[in-house]
Amino acid sequence: MLRFKHGLLGAAALVLAATALTTLPTAPAVADTPKDSLVMAWQFDDIVGLDPAEIFELSGAEYSAQVYDRLIHFDVNDVSRIEGEVAESWTVSPDGKTFTFKIRDGIKFHSGNPLTAEDVAYSFRRAVKMNKGPAFILGQFGLTPDNVDAMVSATDPRTLVFTTDQTYAPTFVLYCLTADVASVVDSKLLRSKEKDGDFGSAWLRNNSAGSGPFSLRQWKASELLMLDANANYWRGAPVLKRVLIRQIAEPATQRLLLEKGDIDIARNLKPEQFEPLKGNSAVRLVQSPKGTLWYLSLNQKNPVLAKPEVREAMKHLVDYEGMAKTIMNGQGTIHQTFLPKGFLGALDENPYRYDPARAKELLAKAGLPDGFTVTLDMRNTTPTQDMAQAIQASAAAAGVRIDIIPGDGKQVLTKYRARNHDLMIQQWGADYQDPHTNAETFASNPDNGDNAKSKPLAWRNSWDIPELTKITASAVIESDAAKRAAIYQDLQRRVLAESPFVIMFQQTEVIAERTNVSGMVWGPSFDTNTYWKAVKK
């Protein structure tokens, strides 16, 4: 019998989800979708705000990719190819510390203001000075609120100079500048919206200031996200004039609306719904391998979970194979190391199996022969709730009693970022395509204090690891790719054996589209999913 600490799931949630479709004030009535609009059902309740200097969630990053341009990007079909976006070219100084970017001429923001190198410099400075969650991506190059004005400068309207504090692997620097935090914002517009030195952040949380293919029309948290096409987009105006994204929690509701033609795309279907849809000529299934990991984490502030034997026991209490065949069928593969396949140094090593007998031995060694009781926070979405229930059941075989606490994405993330959980199921998506993006969050924790400036996943779970933190820092200054890969492989093995992270799966996103839709780009990360080339017949 499944036990929940609070909250109701199941039939009641289905009724609420269905009701929500008719109560959204700006949503069209159930009917065929307009020919010039894209209508998508998606669970995006993890969005906390819409400012790219603060966005640190998967759904928020995907939103940002539609609204903002970045300095550079990588080819979604060949991530080793780094290409210009706002920058048309760049050079690196002989000492590897100065990157000079030439900015394209003729790009305009949605406001009509021209995009210049000063806007790029302002965007980077703003992110560093605001010092929100993603600021560490730029801060790791020595940029601080005190020195960023000197280290990032526009020497003329078409030239940006970016200086680092020491020599790093050049690809590491460039991949970091493809991250969402490097989105270019309209400096003139934001300065006009600034209040009390907030860099316009209060306004930008619910508005947009970009130059991308779409602008924000409306956002209602956990309900609705509406985008309008930018007719003057420099790479070519989108064919579709509007994108309407509805928060629809129930996969059954998403499937029903998709088959009726009331939505064009469903993003959160369950594996058991895939096979019936394969026989529907009006629907296609698209698989998009992602560099996104599903993991269970153990907060080391809990003295029981801080025991090394308990950490190891929990890695034997997940039925990886069983979940892979059922819950994750087609949506992910077993992957237990922190670097996803495709990254430099990634390991394909999965040593843990479901073994409650071994877990019992470890718990007895930890002085817990009768097990223990613990809470597990989860985002109340698919497949997270199914994974939580499966872990609850498999852990019970060793006497570990789990009370599940469901919540929406914003609630769960807020609790996680405050280190107020016991167990937590989450996804982690790479911020950029260099291995340091995951090493820094899973294997580094420079300051374990409650008021630390840097708050990676190791910090969120109060895992104090000074030795691994030093090793992680050393990897980014190693210019030899083979030696860098070896460092990351050693780190992965250490984290696999010692950490409070039970990494379980690498995600494959499965998207269901109406066959009259084409041109959607489903990239290797959520911020490389793009809509602007989409068309409808």
Side-chain angles (χ1 to χ4, degrees), residues 474-496:
S474 73
V476 296
I477 59 175
E478 177 53 67
S479 59
D480 184 285
K483 291 180 180 178
R484 274 194 89 200
I487 294 172
Y488 290 121
Q489 289 170 352
D490 176 65
L491 278 171
Q492 287 170 93
R493 293 188 176 101
R494 292 278 299 273
V495 170
L496 189 61

Side-chain angles (χ1 to χ4, degrees), residues 212-234:
F214 294 94
S215 62
L216 177 68
R217 181 180 181 87
Q218 186 178 14
W219 173 54
K220 289 184 176 292
S222 300
E223 290 185 22
L224 176 72
L225 183 62
M226 190 183 298
L227 309 175
D228 283 345
N230 175 10
N232 299 310
Y233 186 48
W234 63 277

Side-chain angles (χ1 to χ4, degrees), residues 310 312-320 353-357 359-360 363 372 390-400:
V310 172
E312 185 178 353
M314 290 303 299
K315 294 171 186 177
H316 289 291
L317 289 178
V318 173
D319 187 359
Y320 307 93
R353 299 289 184 272
Y354 180 49
D355 189 346
K360 284 183 179 180
L363 292 177
F372 58 92
I391 293 170
Q392 182 188 58
S394 61
V400 177

Side-chain angles (χ1 to χ4, degrees), residues 445-465:
N445 186 7
D447 179 359
N448 198 42
D450 286 339
N451 297 317
K453 292 182 180 180
S454 178
K455 299 179 179 180
L457 295 184
W459 178 90
R460 291 186 195 178
N461 291 281
S462 197
W463 190 36
D464 198 7
I465 44 173

Side-chain angles (χ1 to χ4, degrees), residues 38-176:
L38 184 76
V39 183
M40 184 187 305
W42 190 28
Q43 298 168 355
F44 59 90
D45 59 318
D46 58 327
I47 296 180
V48 177
L50 302 181
D51 186 337
E54 298 185 72
I55 288 172
F56 212 34
E57 306 83 35
L58 297 180
S59 302
E62 182 167 320
Y63 154 80
S64 182
Q66 319 313 315
V67 173
Y68 295 92
D69 287 316
R70 299 176 190 176
L71 186 65
I72 55 179
H73 65 259
F74 56 83
D75 185 338
V76 296
N77 297 310
D78 180 0
V79 298
S80 68
R81 292 181 57 192
I82 300 174
E83 302 171 333
E85 192 162 309
V86 164
E88 62 182 6
S89 64
W90 60 88
T91 58
V92 184
S93 63
D95 66 359
K97 295 170 62 176
T98 302
F99 294 72
T100 303
F101 298 89
K102 287 297 179 183
I103 306 302
R104 295 182 193 276
D105 197 8
I107 301 177
K108 290 187 176 182
F109 290 105
H110 303 146
S111 66
N113 294 329
L115 188 156
T116 69
E118 180 54 39
D119 291 294
V120 184
Y122 171 85
S123 301
F124 288 13
R125 294 168 181 168
R126 177 179 183 270
V128 171
K129 291 178 181 180
M130 285 176 60
N131 197 29
K132 301 298 183 179
F136 77 90
I137 296 173
L138 299 175
Q140 61 195 336
F141 301 115
L143 276 61
T144 69
D146 294 330
N147 69 20
V148 67
D149 288 349
M151 296 185 73
V152 182
S153 62
T155 57
D156 63 55
R158 303 261 71 83
T159 306
L160 176 83
V161 179
F162 181 90
T163 306
T164 62
D165 60 340
Q166 61 179 313
T167 302
Y168 298 91
T171 53
F172 168 54
V173 178
L174 293 172
Y175 275 125
C176 286

Side-chain angles (χ1 to χ4, degrees), residues 21 26 44 48 61 104 118 145 207 245 288 290 292-293 300 318 327 352 384 391 401 422 426 457 468 472 495:
L21 295 178
T26 56
F44 59 90
V48 177
R104 295 182 193 276
E118 180 54 39
N207 294 278
I245 305 174
S288 175
K290 291 284 191 286
T292 307
L293 303 174
Q300 300 299 279
V318 173
I327 296 168
Y352 293 105
T384 314
I391 293 170
R401 299 167 293 280
D422 286 339
Q426 280 289 349
L457 295 184
L468 293 185
T472 299
V495 170

Side-chain angles (χ1 to χ4, degrees), residues 94 156 176 180 195 205 224 239 296 308 321 332-333 376 379 392 411-412 474:
D156 63 55
C176 286
D180 186 61
K195 290 185 178 181
R205 288 191 190 104
L224 176 72
V239 173
L296 174 72
E321 287 81 5
T333 56
L376 187 158
R379 184 180 169 200
Q392 182 188 58
Q411 292 170 332
V412 172
S474 73

